[in-house]
Amino acid sequence: MKTNDIFNLLHNAVESKFFGKKISQREMADKLGVSMRTYQDWKLGNSQPQAAAAIFKMLGELEEGDALRLIQRIAHELKDEK
C-alpha cells in the first residue's frame, strides 16, 4: 500500500469520526501543522513525509492490540501537549 493511500484512508476515517462532515484539505493541513500544498502533495503521492513510511511499517510489525494501544497512547500524549 502506498503512503498516499494511507493518508487518504486516514482522512476519510477522520471525516467519519465527525459523522461524515467533509473536512477540507486546508482544515486537515492546519490540524497537522503543514501547508495545504504539502498536504495535497501527500494525498496525491507527489511527496511523503520521510518518517511516515517507516512509522507505518513499524506499526505493521506489531500485533493489532499492541498497535492500537500504542496509537492511543501517542494520541493522548499529543493532546496533552496542546
Side-chain angles (χ1 to χ4, degrees), residues 2-82:
K2 295 179 181 176
T3 303
N4 68 303
D5 294 328
I6 296 169
F7 275 103
N8 287 313
L9 286 171
L10 289 168
H11 187 105
N12 293 340
V14 170
E15 282 183 336
S16 71
K17 175 185 170 190
F18 294 103
F19 306 103
K21 175 189 173 282
K22 291 291 180 188
I23 297 173
S24 71
Q25 291 180 358
R26 179 171 304 286
E27 288 175 289
M28 190 66 75
D30 289 345
K31 286 179 182 288
L32 298 173
V34 297
S35 72
M36 187 175 80
R37 179 65 187 177
T38 295
Y39 187 70
Q40 287 173 327
D41 283 342
W42 293 350
K43 283 189 55 101
L44 294 172
N46 295 334
S47 68
Q48 67 182 22
Q50 292 180 349
I55 289 169
F56 296 140
K57 287 178 184 178
M58 291 172 73
L59 286 170
E61 292 294 319
L62 301 174
E63 297 294 326
E64 276 185 36
D66 294 334
L68 179 58
R69 281 187 291 280
L70 179 59
I71 291 167
Q72 289 170 331
R73 178 179 170 192
I74 292 167
H76 180 75
E77 289 184 21
L78 288 172
K79 285 179 186 177
D80 286 347
E81 289 179 6
K82 287 184 180 181

